[in-house]
Amino acid sequence: MPDPKMRRRDVLLGAGVVGASALPIAAPPAVAQPAAPAATPAKGAAPAAGPAPAGYTFLKPSEQAFVEAMVDHMIPADELTPSGTDVGLAIFIDRACAGSWGKGDRLYLQGPWKQGSANQGYQLPLTPAELYQRGIAGSNAYCRKTWGKSFDRLAAADKETFLKDLAAGKIMFAGGIPGREFFTMAYQTVMEGLFSDPIYGGNRNMVGWRMVGFPGVGANNAENIKKYNDGTRFTVEPLGIADFS
Amino acid sequence: MARKLPPVDIVIVGMGWAGGIMAKELGPTGLKIVVLERGGPRTTQDDFNIPQIRDDLRFQQRNELMMDVAKDTLTVRNNPSEEALPMRRLGSFLPGEGVGGSGVHWSGHNWRWADQDLKIRSNYEQRYGKKYIPDDMNLKDWGISYAELEPYYEKFEYTAGISGKAGNLNGKIQKGGNPFEGARKKDYPLPPLTAALATNMFTKASNELGFHAFPRPTSQMSKPFTNIDGQQLGQCQYCGYCEKFGCESNAKGSPHITVIPVALKNENVDLRTFSWVQKVLLDSTGKKATGVLYVNVLTGEEIEQPADLVILSGFQLNNVHLLLLSGIGKPYDPKTREGLVGANYCYQAGGGRTGAIQLFFDDRSFNPFMAAGGLGAVVDDFHYNQDFDRAKAGGYIGGATIAAGGSNARPINYHPVPPGTPQWGSEWKREVAKWYQGSVVVNGTGSVMPHPDNCLTLDPTYKNRFGQPLLRMTFDFHENDFKVMSHAVDMSAKIAKAMNPKMMFNNFSKAGWTSVPYQSTHNTGGAMMGSDPRTSVVNKYLQSWDVHNVFVTGAAVFPHNSSYNPTGPVGAMAFWAADAIKNRYLKNPGLLV
Ligand SMILES: Cc1cc2nc3c(=O)[nH]c(=O)nc-3n(C[C@H](O)[C@H](O)[C@H](O)COP(=O)(O)OP(=O)(O)OC[C@H]3O[C@@H](n4cnc5c(N)ncnc54)[C@H](O)[C@@H]3O)c2cc1C
């Protein structure tokens, strides 16, 4: 049955079609490009700058599908927040991978490389962006082998099983990357996307902050702390970095 | 070949708390002083401005104010038979880089380490007998007394600005303060911070049990403050972006707004940022320093700065690293247990990773985001209380402070849920939303005593960006540390229970030390002080026994670690050593004892 939520990218990827290699090379996306407005703006006036566009700059289509499925599974739409994708988590992760953190900023990347004990921490020669990409490829390969489909196509119960096994360290990807390393990082980015300042693309409309009642960046509590020390909840409209800028 | 500069009188390595104090105290001598700092300059206006500084992703998650491990890190292992591997990401501890050092992003908890620590071996032998101290515990008196340091503690408190309540003024116990503290001549410069609900509940419960809770002494200003040098600090706003952040209100005592600008008023003090010291240079006898070799990290150029006196004021780990790289003193070897430099490395137990009791209440809101680095209350009955009988509490040495009151509730890391809650999904969200406002932690922080396996040495394999061997840390918690924490957890649970939560959980375990989650930046030892050159690296004036024109500041000189945070004595001993240099060493260079 066709999924009503199927997106354009799914079509390009041949979602649901077994044997993707048999597909023809994808044609350019069928997005109608509107013609330039007939009337040119008045002389001297520059075109207006719109709001910042949200779109992927780093993740490939199959990776986008994985990340969206993962964040929607971990942060489903319910009475507390919209779905992970709608909260901006997939875009947050895309930006994080594309940026300096993803590229290995503040990571010691010299060899030799050994596995080490858990207490010695991360020991792979991969940057976070590389680990994301290899982790997604490894996850999809594992899911295809186990359930016959990539992660994003799995039923919710199978997604749950996969993520739990990944978190529990039960999965080793072909090629030797421990699944748990990928999970630890992926889970961290989900938390970061949900709760960091919205300026990074996640936590849209500060829904993560609203969910718990975190006031954001504007706090001046020298007086509040005196008033609110009797168990009364302090509620305030949260503020992010952009609200001050 | 390094470019050789004209000689100067004094080189100070590192511009954090200790380097700042040294530069400020020695500045008025008029001598030519160069301070070399590996990181860049920092100002409140540009580096800690609102809103950018209140960015949890950038400063807490990505550690932007801290040392960059891509350039220089450590290798780590739990015991000498393991192969050490690089700490590829910052985790367990977060030393600073840049003007102000770790002092710009510390939490501000301030303690006076008194004779309970400074005369630790004598105390235990006297009270519990020689046999009470395990044979392989290299427990040592520090060779200095609280009476000697008392005026310098006061100086540090009135420089940094500390909010607190005296517990012992000139021998008279003060109600509401820490009755077990060393006698102080003067109260804290500022009254305690405003207590939050969790603190009040902890204080009440502790006192009803017969313990003695008091507001944690800390370097967030409860009121606007002018320090002893006329530097002006603002009032704390309880914003909850404190530890790991710089303060936009100048309301946290930090070197960059206190000692450093005062030092730099002296035209003879020359601060060179982006100057990474590689080693101390020695003459052919190996007994005298001739200066330092450093790299201008903006160009990569190697530069030799000759000097008559070298003061190592990097962070504890950096100072030990520099001693080892320079060949000053005999390096410690954990196999033979010989040598001194790198021995007695200690850390602290707790830090939330183990020994924390998490309490949940469903009938009140704590507003945990109204917080400051040192907000909270502490019970010292199982640490500085000399009457407390350790033999009956598991038979340990040292002790733990027990505290409640949080530094922040920034939700990337702070979203407590009861154990057994799923890690994601709607149920996880519901639990997070339900308990965010209703949770409190009561936790112990334990002293750590020396163990012959725990040490700092040079790594045989891994190098930093300059091609120098990394410092290798061998560390684990041992039996005495677990005894301390196990007792602390029992006492914490007792207090927590008296706070009457709906539920409470205890995360105590005897798990080994891990380099991964943040615990504390309370690393100590490796250049221990003492009164005998055969058993210590520096004397009571922080002067190297081996190379008398080298002084070493900071927590590297601590022979063991207390349950208290380290910066109080780091600051006090920097003032103390500066006095000895000014009044005695410069007049007659040579060993001071
Ligand atoms: C998050 C956090 C919270 C903390 N909270 C507390 C607390 O509540 N209470 C407490 O007592 N302590 C606390 N600390 C520890 C406290 O910050 C340190 O004890 C204190 O800053 C040590 O002072 P220092 O001068 O020895 O080192 P630092 O202040 O770290 O300064 C050392 C300086 O030397 C520089 N340096 C190092 N190596 C070289 C080199 N080779 N060449 C040139 N420059 C070099 C560094 O870049 C740095 O600027 C905390 C630390 C952190 C990170």
Side-chain angles (χ1 to χ4, degrees), chain B residues 14 16-18 37-38 94 97-98 101-102 107-109 277 318 521 565 567:
Chain B
W17 264 128
E37 165 56 49
R38 65 180 175 178
L94 302 169
E97 183 171 320
S102 317
S107 301
H109 307 192
V277 175
N318 310 123
T521 312
N565 311 48
T567 312

Side-chain angles (χ1 to χ4, degrees), chain A residues 67-81:
Chain A
V67 168
E68 289 182 9
M70 177 184 76
V71 300
D72 286 348
H73 185 85
M74 286 190 173
I75 310 297
D78 55 23
E79 76 283 5
L80 286 167
T81 72

Side-chain angles (χ1 to χ4, degrees), chain B residues 13-18 36-38 94 96-98 100-103 105-109 244 275-277 313-315 318 322 518 521-522 554 565-567 570:
Chain B
V13 181
M15 196 47 136
W17 264 128
L36 299 170
E37 165 56 49
R38 65 180 175 178
L94 302 169
E97 183 171 320
S102 317
H105 52 72
W106 71 320
S107 301
H109 307 192
K244 309 189 177 81
S275 300
W276 194 306
V277 175
S313 293
F315 182 70
N318 310 123
L322 283 170
Y518 184 68
T521 312
H522 304 161
N565 311 48
T567 312
V570 167

Side-chain angles (χ1 to χ4, degrees), chain B residues 44-94:
Chain B
T44 300
Q45 301 86 301
D46 247 11
D47 293 274
F48 309 144
N49 63 311
I50 288 216
Q52 278 82 12
I53 190 59
R54 293 191 183 167
D55 184 341
D56 202 21
L57 185 69
R58 183 171 169 199
F59 296 107
Q60 149 91 36
Q61 297 297 102
R62 310 287 186 249
N63 299 316
E64 243 188 60
L65 293 175
M66 286 85 179
M67 72 182 240
D68 180 354
V69 293
K71 298 176 186 158
D72 186 45
T73 183
L74 299 90
T75 61
V76 293
R77 59 179 180 178
N78 282 124
N79 61 68
S81 56
E82 262 181 11
E83 183 175 4
L85 294 177
M87 187 176 77
R88 296 187 179 277
R89 255 199 194 105
L90 272 180
S92 178
F93 40 84
L94 302 169

Side-chain angles (χ1 to χ4, degrees), chain B residues 65-229:
Chain B
L65 293 175
M66 286 85 179
M67 72 182 240
D68 180 354
V69 293
K71 298 176 186 158
D72 186 45
T73 183
L74 299 90
T75 61
V76 293
R77 59 179 180 178
N78 282 124
N79 61 68
S81 56
E82 262 181 11
E83 183 175 4
L85 294 177
M87 187 176 77
R88 296 187 179 277
R89 255 199 194 105
L90 272 180
S92 178
F93 40 84
L94 302 169
E97 183 171 320
V99 169
S102 317
V104 305
H105 52 72
W106 71 320
S107 301
H109 307 192
N110 179 78
W111 301 100
R112 293 180 169 204
W113 297 31
D115 289 335
Q116 283 94 325
D117 280 306
L118 305 177
K119 298 185 176 165
I120 191 163
R121 177 168 275 277
S122 309
N123 296 338
Y124 278 83
E125 285 187 355
Q126 201 178 355
R127 161 112 201 227
Y128 299 94
K130 275 196 163 125
K131 286 217 184 81
Y132 189 79
I133 304 169
D135 282 342
D136 65 353
M137 187 187 284
N138 186 19
L139 202 64
K140 286 164 49 58
D141 288 358
W142 294 31
I144 195 168
S145 69
Y146 177 66
E148 286 171 301
L149 281 181
E150 202 281 335
Y152 299 95
Y153 278 121
E154 184 184 301
K155 210 163 175 188
F156 182 65
E157 288 165 2
Y158 279 75
T159 297
I162 308 292
S163 302
K165 166 109 186 62
N168 182 341
L169 261 183
N170 297 303
K172 273 217 184 92
I173 301 303
Q174 308 291 308
K175 204 164 172 275
N178 180 5
F180 310 114
E181 72 172 348
R184 51 172 63 246
K185 294 222 168 65
K186 256 187 172 172
D187 203 337
Y188 290 100
L190 289 152
L193 295 174
T194 306
L197 175 61
T199 314
N200 287 335
M201 287 166 58
F202 172 86
T203 301
K204 185 160 172 280
S206 302
N207 291 347
E208 278 169 10
L209 288 166
F211 307 143
H212 305 80
F214 56 92
R216 176 159 35 210
T218 189
S219 189
Q220 288 81 28
M221 309 303 120
S222 54
K223 292 200 247 174
F225 176 62
T226 303
N227 87 353
I228 40 174
D229 299 308

